[in-house]
Amino acid sequence: MSSLKPLTGHERPGDPCVIVIFGASGDLTKRKLLPALYNLKELNLLPEHIAVVGCAVTEGTDESFREQLTRDIKEFATRPVDLAQWEEFCKRCYYTSGDFNSADTFTRLSEKIDAVRKAWEIPGGNVLFYLAITPTLFGKVVDQLGAANLTREPQGAWRRVIIEKPFGRDLDSARELNAQITKSLREDQIYRIDHYLGKETVQNIMVFRFGNSIFEPTWNRRYIEYVQITVAEELGVELRGGYYDHSGVLRDMVQNHMLSVLSLIAMEAPSSITGESVRNEKVKVLEAIRPMTPEDVIANTVRGQYGGGMIDGKEVVSYRDEPNVNPKSNTETFVSMKLKVENWRWADVPFYLRSGKRLAQRATQVVIGFRRTPLRLFGEDLQRETVKPNRLVLHIQPEEGITFDIHAKQPGPKIQVVGVPLDFNYKDFGEQNAATGYETLLYDCMIGESSLFHRYDSVDTSWQICNPILDVWGALPARDFPNYESGTWGPEASDRLVAQEGHQWHYYKPPTPHAIST
Ligand code: BG6
């Protein structure tokens, strides 16, 4: 894993290469990839010898592509754009269009790559292909790259392919896709991206756990009573109804982002943070989550779909009334579940996962609930929210920080215990230029560092965890949808799920001097 900072002389820029973006006229390119590449340029982490080739179905020329990129960077840059730097980058951008089903498109692409390499004297034959396209085309495009000889690595050079999510829509299709792409690529050429792993605070989980000696000894079933991972969104499905209605939150968020965060929280210490060590440890955690039986699915999962309601004082429509959504849709927009990681470290500790759209607040956080002290020496009333047992909260977004609740004596003549937060806010590092989250991932791919990308075994294992749930939900369509109002925390059954073991969901306000509600 790299750490992004301006080049100091210790950090090398990415290898000289051509970056080919399939889906160059799409949303991901303009909102994330382009601003991320520009940020890398400003940080001196792009190689000196580089060119970008956009490839999409829409017709266009190099010139029209550059004009479009110039409009897009003005709108989506995360930092002020320096004109000279931008021009220097923009003139290295090229475009080629065509039908991805046609071999001719890839012959022309190959010629374009050769031409830009010559124009910018890019040594070697390194090419990074980024598949920012609809998932149904992943396999097809890799086949075509293979047939055009573009995945074959020339002597001393690399060819790498970044594949967006979702990787398959269930276990069988993920296996099929993997079998298809590994006809043309070795596993170490495949970079399955998960943008959650590019987030500062997600990467900070490892630093927090393994860079401090104080927490690791308590990071186990002896001291930890439960773990909660919440990814709550206020947004609905926006304009992605067509995609989402065939996906749902289990496929969209749990199978990839949330299980990935869970594995960082639960894994054993890796022997190194580069190479395969982290990925080896992450997959072991996933393998320790036993796939649910149909009875477990019924007892330990809750699904929901939003109805209309109020978000930020504005009325919003129900999921079934969103554009491109089936008016009788049974797709879930909310899930909560209880998982058990069955190994020595975590046996019997519930891991609660919750994610949904149109919830009360945008908040991604991990709550670690510690066990109570063996004796309540001070007569603490643990039912009071202000004196709950110690909790550690990793705030991932929108605010980034860490809160640790401890107990202290309330000032006064009597001993009265009160909970107080120890807060760390990332903002305390001072003004930082916002990043898209894709910088680290693009840079890591350019230097061949794959630890933040999903290896196929972890994708497969994540599907093995999700598939039984999809099967039961498919066989027993929900009868009560929509079952939560927009702007709430989801269906009541979700509260009952955590109450089974005497717990409750925590919503934590981000670090402020008064972070705990009374
Ligand atoms: C994407 C999902 O992977 O992650 C979206 O497809 C979701 O449905 C998004 O909204 C959330 O990402 P973030 O970074 O805003 O939490």
Side-chain angles (χ1 to χ4, degrees), residues 130-187:
Y130 197 119
L131 307 195
I133 49 179
T134 172
T136 49
L137 288 174
F138 291 161
K140 175 96 236 156
V141 168
V142 172
D143 280 350
Q144 295 276 23
L145 288 173
N149 220 8
L150 282 164
T151 50
R152 199 182 52 80
E153 298 185 324
Q155 181 82 32
W158 51 256
R159 298 283 160 110
R160 297 177 185 144
V161 180
I162 299 187
I163 301 191
E164 268 293 332
K165 67 165 263 275
F167 196 90
R169 64 182 318 276
D170 53 22
L171 184 58
D172 287 346
S173 56
R175 286 183 175 167
E176 264 168 44
L177 176 59
N178 204 52
Q180 186 175 8
I181 64 176
T182 48
K183 282 190 200 138
S184 310
L185 296 163
R186 295 185 314 272
E187 174 64 32

Side-chain angles (χ1 to χ4, degrees), residues 339-356:
L339 295 175
K340 292 271 167 84
V341 178
E342 298 185 16
N343 60 19
W344 275 60
R345 188 187 278 261
W346 295 114
D348 296 331
V349 176
F351 281 71
Y352 300 113
L353 269 51
R354 164 174 73 159
S355 181

Side-chain angles (χ1 to χ4, degrees), residues 223-228 346 348-352 367-371 388-391 501-504 506:
Y223 294 96
I224 292 178
E225 185 172 322
Y226 62 84
V227 175
Q228 291 182 1
W346 295 114
D348 296 331
V349 176
F351 281 71
Y352 300 113
V367 178
I368 311 286
F370 286 88
R371 295 195 187 279
K388 288 281 180 212
N390 301 137
R391 281 177 302 200
E501 294 196 35
H503 301 132
Q504 64 189 70
H506 301 294

Side-chain angles (χ1 to χ4, degrees), residues 32 165 195-196 199 231 233 235-236 240 243-244 252-253 256-257 357 362 364 397:
K32 302 289 182 190
K165 67 165 263 275
H195 79 279
Y196 261 63
K199 289 182 193 287
V231 181
E233 297 187 87
L235 290 177
R240 297 166 71 228
Y243 150 76
Y244 197 88
D252 190 49
M253 298 298 293
N256 35 69
H257 308 319
K357 297 212 180 265
R362 178 173 185 235
T364 298
Q397 62 187 19

